[in-house]
Amino acid sequence: MRVAVVGAGFWARYQIAAWQEIEGVSVVGVCDTDLSKARQMGAFAAYDDLQRMLRETEPDLVDVITPVETHAPLVRAIAQHGLPVVCQKPMAGSLEEAEQMVLDCEAVPFFVHENWRFQAPLQRVKQLLDSSAIGRPFRARAQFSCSFPVFDNQPFLRTLDRFILTDIGSHILDVARFLFGEASRLYCQTSRVGDIAGEDVATVMMSMTGCDSVVCEMSYASRLREEAFPQTYLLIEGSAGSIELGKDYKIYVSTQEGLSEETVPVPAFPWADPAYDLVHSSIVACHRAILDDLNGRSDSGLRGADNLKTVQLVFASYVSAESGHVEEPPGAFTGQ
């Protein structure tokens, strides 16, 4: 599998390293509008012209790791070459643009790189839910709240008019879908606490097919007793017990039979940033899922038409926060 990469920013170096962890995959080129940045990514062919890279490297798959405003034109250009394409989350800057991207890729496999759900602790929680360890879930809380200085590595985030819902919200709302299915109703409140352009706090409450009440809490403005960036905490209550995912990947299952505890091992890679190691390890699993899907071995849940449902939740959250009303997400995208 020959993979070409578009973008040479903060996340590109880790996604390239993750591709190199997978047997049979080779990175054949890196393209960036700043050629010097592309050259810094490693001993790969470096380009500042997408069309030239596609012609000369003849990739089997193209991974787009660029700012959100560039996603649509890049994905469209790659699809026009008849190539499978992976796009960084969030898919697009608007729901309409995301819908058009899915239409533009009707003839090629199109994936959104939603790696968060592939974190080992979240995968383990999904296994427990699927095994009916706690019966039918009726209430759940997903929390990602901390004071981590995210703007140090990604200063452009400070300038976004819409920040936490599009950034971490794309992940956390997708995790809610991964665990509990689709949302029928949604209510959101946001706050801006720090000196930034957009919101840095959001709370979203949803009714979902697999759980009556799901609350997603997101904040980069919270200084807490037990912060553990970039970990997501969960508390899921079910008809036969509860599951709690706490700090340092500890999972507690409480049922009538008693309490069980386990610590989920997280893969370690020498290239991962210690501050992001949990997230970086999930990139490898995400890549593998994309390749398995591309080769017909499994459904990754990462196809563009599927991720569009997460995009719908993000923008329905903004509508709710601005209106103060409960929103009904538009449901499955019908364009095929």
Side-chain angles (χ1 to χ4, degrees):
M1 174 66 67
R2 297 165 59 83
V3 176
V5 171
V6 184
F10 174 75
W11 283 103
R13 72 190 75 170
Y14 302 109
Q15 289 195 203
I16 289 171
W19 280 121
Q20 293 177 294
E21 291 288 338
I22 302 174
E23 185 177 356
V25 172
S26 60
V27 177
V28 295
V30 179
C31 180
D32 194 277
T33 53
D34 185 338
L35 185 59
S36 64
K37 290 176 64 177
R39 287 171 172 160
Q40 292 170 10
M41 289 294 105
F44 312 109
Y47 297 87
D48 59 5
D49 183 279
L50 173 63
Q51 300 295 336
R52 183 183 169 199
M53 181 179 73
L54 297 181
R55 289 194 307 269
E56 294 186 1
T57 63
E58 298 182 339
D60 302 306
L61 175 70
V62 184
D63 191 0
V64 176
I65 317 167
T66 60
V68 65
E69 65 271 14
T70 68
H71 289 178
L74 288 170
V75 167
R76 185 178 306 114
I78 294 162
Q80 287 172 350
H81 276 260
L83 293 169
V85 57
V86 183
C87 176
Q88 184 78 345
K89 74 84 200 167
M91 189 195 307
S94 71
L95 180 57
E96 294 74 20
E97 190 173 53
E99 290 174 342
Q100 187 59 50
M101 289 171 69
V102 174
L103 290 173
D104 289 341
C105 294
E106 282 183 312
V108 300
F110 171 40
F111 302 91
V112 176
H113 190 277
E114 182 44 79
N115 60 297
W116 210 266
R117 62 165 68 184
F118 290 95
Q119 292 177 17
L122 297 175
Q123 289 282 316
R124 177 58 181 150
V125 170
K126 176 64 170 173
Q127 291 174 355
L128 290 167
L129 288 174
D130 288 348
S131 72
S132 299
I134 61 166
R136 184 186 68 82
F138 60 82
R139 183 165 61 181
R141 176 190 183 199
Q143 182 187 40
F144 181 94
S145 299
C146 64
S147 59
F148 183 80
V150 67
F151 308 110
D152 289 356
N153 284 326
Q154 302 175 83
F156 75 93
L157 294 175
R158 185 182 294 276
T159 66
L160 297 179
D161 291 332
R162 290 175 164 179
F163 167 48
I164 203 164
L165 280 167
T166 58
D167 181 58
I168 198 64
S170 294
H171 287 316
I172 302 303
L173 294 174
D174 187 76
V175 165
R177 289 187 55 237
F178 172 59
L179 297 176
F180 305 115
E182 306 306 334
S184 58
R185 293 185 303 163
L186 174 155
Y187 177 73
C188 176
Q189 288 189 319
T190 63
S191 301
R192 184 176 66 218
V193 178
D195 183 21
I196 63 173
E199 81 288 354
D200 50 6
V201 177
T203 305
V204 181
M205 179 176 175
M206 297 177 286
S207 298
M208 309 193 79
T209 55
C211 190
D212 299 339
S213 174
V214 179
V215 177
C216 297
E217 300 176 5
M218 297 152 268
S219 171
Y220 276 115
S222 300
R223 192 166 298 280
L224 305 176
R225 179 176 60 85
E226 283 197 322
E227 291 186 36
F229 176 90
Q231 296 179 38
T232 303
Y233 296 162
L234 296 172
L235 176 59
I236 306 168
E237 299 171 65
S239 58
S242 66
I243 299 171
E244 181 179 358
L245 170 59
K247 186 179 179 183
D248 297 333
Y249 327 131
K250 293 186 181 298
I251 293 179
Y252 305 89
V253 179
S254 300
T255 67
Q256 188 173 5
E257 287 70 39
L259 174 68
S260 65
E261 174 185 341
E262 64 178 293
T263 300
V264 179
V266 173
F269 299 98
W271 45 263
D273 183 335
Y276 291 82
D277 56 356
L278 173 65
V279 175
H280 288 168
S281 69
S282 72
I283 296 174
V284 179
C286 182
H287 284 346
R288 287 199 176 104
I290 289 171
L291 294 184
D292 284 345
D293 193 332
L294 194 59
N295 292 313
R297 292 190 289 265
S298 64
D299 179 0
S300 66
L302 300 175
R303 295 273 179 161
D306 187 273
N307 187 262
L308 191 55
K309 299 171 189 176
T310 297
V311 178
Q312 290 171 343
L313 294 186
V314 169
F315 287 102
S317 295
Y318 280 118
V319 172
S320 175
E322 291 165 6
S323 70
H325 300 151
V326 173
E327 295 294 322
E328 295 183 3
F333 181 52
T334 56
Q336 298 295 330

